[in-house]
Amino acid sequence: MREEDIKLDAVRAKFSNVLKRHADLAERLSRDSDKSIFERLQREFEAARASQAQELSLEGEQWNDGLLATIRERVHMEAERKAMQMPGDITQLPMSFLEKITYRVGNKIICCLEGARIGIQYETSFAGESCDLYHCVLESKSFLEKMTVLEHTVPFFLPIRDTENEFLSSNAIRFIDHVGDLLQAYVDRREQVRLIKELYGNQIGELYHSLPYHMIEFVLEDFDSKVTVSLRYADLISTLPTGVSVLAWPMPKSKKSSDAISLSQKENVVGSHPIPACLTYAEDALRTMSLPEAYAEIVLNLPQTLQDMFPHTSST
């Protein structure tokens, strides 16, 4: 049994190293490929906002198809004017169409960019603090043709192309809003994981997650029993998991203590393999609270819960 444990530890160490290298590579590829696009688009957005005549904040039904159609018409008429105008001629359009207006809708800023393009800048946040900026640029060859995504800085593992195919041609407002929901939910899940690592890293033995953080697994080893936590999110706009599993595995302190286990306690063991116990209170907390809040709630009650479940493993 000892030899099997050594082999298993070796496999686990190799697998952990592969996952770490994969995560580092994915982050580097994403960062390097998007960096130049991000910097160029950020300069464009800053220039557009600096030259604006006004910024309008929209709420609720003010953000609608009619307004988006007006923005589309504005960028196309401006592009046509610039293509046809003579030097110094600014009389071909009403003054209302010559004004540059930026629109703010929730965490989105919508700008009219040069070349008949519409730019959307997404501002993400966590716990009231600003996080990352992302961009998406839409274009169409004419006002009557459908829009397409020209370029963006959305992380490659979020399904912006699928979202474009599903919504953009039929409901551009929904497309713009859905991309914002994807980005904010991704940042929220990512920051929740970052925070528990920062606050409780000494208690977490192993932590794995998918790139969009919609699958998260970690192990708590700073207790008398090993506790495994598995989280699955129903979709990429969820910030609370729907699939939750928290299992506590009995780990005898020594062979002597293991030999002293009573017959009733040995019911938790089949052969040489322990049977885990489900921590329902922990699962309930993870389904209803943010990950850092749920973690604090779980560890507060964990020592006593484990002692009640596996009294023979307690260090007391």
Side-chain angles (χ1 to χ4, degrees), residues 148-169:
T148 58
V149 175
L150 177 63
E151 57 186 345
H152 64 86
T153 59
V154 175
F156 70 91
F157 44 79
L158 296 181
I160 187 170
R161 291 302 176 185
D162 292 341
T163 305
E164 176 185 6
N165 294 335
E166 185 174 0
F167 298 127
L168 187 53
S169 61

Side-chain angles (χ1 to χ4, degrees), residues 168-188:
L168 187 53
S169 61
S170 60
N171 192 333
I173 290 282
R174 188 172 180 185
F175 166 80
I176 294 170
D177 290 347
H178 189 72
V179 171
D181 293 340
L182 283 172
L183 290 167
Q184 180 55 53
Y186 156 66
V187 168
D188 199 293

Side-chain angles (χ1 to χ4, degrees), residues 1-12 272-273:
M1 186 61 187
R2 178 60 180 167
E3 184 178 349
E4 291 179 3
D5 290 341
I6 294 174
K7 290 180 179 179
L8 184 59
D9 288 341
V11 171
R12 183 183 292 112
S272 59
H273 301 285

Side-chain angles (χ1 to χ4, degrees), residues 138-157:
L138 307 177
E139 71 162 1
S140 59
K141 293 182 179 179
S142 73
F143 176 70
L144 298 177
E145 295 190 36
K146 72 175 185 177
M147 290 187 292
T148 58
V149 175
L150 177 63
E151 57 186 345
H152 64 86
T153 59
V154 175
F156 70 91
F157 44 79

Side-chain angles (χ1 to χ4, degrees), residues 12-113:
R12 183 183 292 112
K14 290 180 181 179
F15 182 61
S16 178
N17 186 50
V18 168
L19 287 177
K20 184 178 184 302
R21 291 170 60 189
H22 174 266
D24 292 343
L25 179 60
E27 181 182 357
R28 187 165 64 251
L29 287 173
S30 178
R31 182 182 63 246
D32 293 347
S33 62
D34 290 345
K35 185 177 180 180
S36 61
I37 299 175
F38 175 86
E39 291 176 347
R40 174 171 52 79
L41 289 179
Q42 186 61 22
R43 288 194 298 268
E44 251 193 288
F45 274 81
E46 290 173 353
R49 298 186 70 183
S51 64
Q52 70 185 8
Q54 59 180 317
E55 179 174 294
L56 299 179
S57 294
L58 307 176
E59 297 181 0
E61 294 182 357
Q62 291 177 317
W63 172 231
N64 54 48
D65 293 331
L67 177 64
L68 185 58
T70 299
I71 297 173
R72 290 190 65 192
E73 184 180 13
R74 183 186 295 273
V75 297
H76 279 286
M77 293 182 72
E78 174 68 10
E80 292 171 5
R81 180 186 71 83
K82 288 192 172 184
M84 298 173 60
Q85 77 179 56
M86 300 295 291
D89 181 9
I90 60 171
T91 62
Q92 297 181 25
L93 286 176
M95 286 303 297
S96 60
F97 271 86
L98 293 176
E99 290 183 346
K100 293 186 176 180
I101 301 176
T102 298
Y103 302 89
R104 176 179 285 276
V105 187
N107 70 332
K108 302 177 287 291
I109 296 176
I110 297 143
C111 298
C112 300
L113 302 178

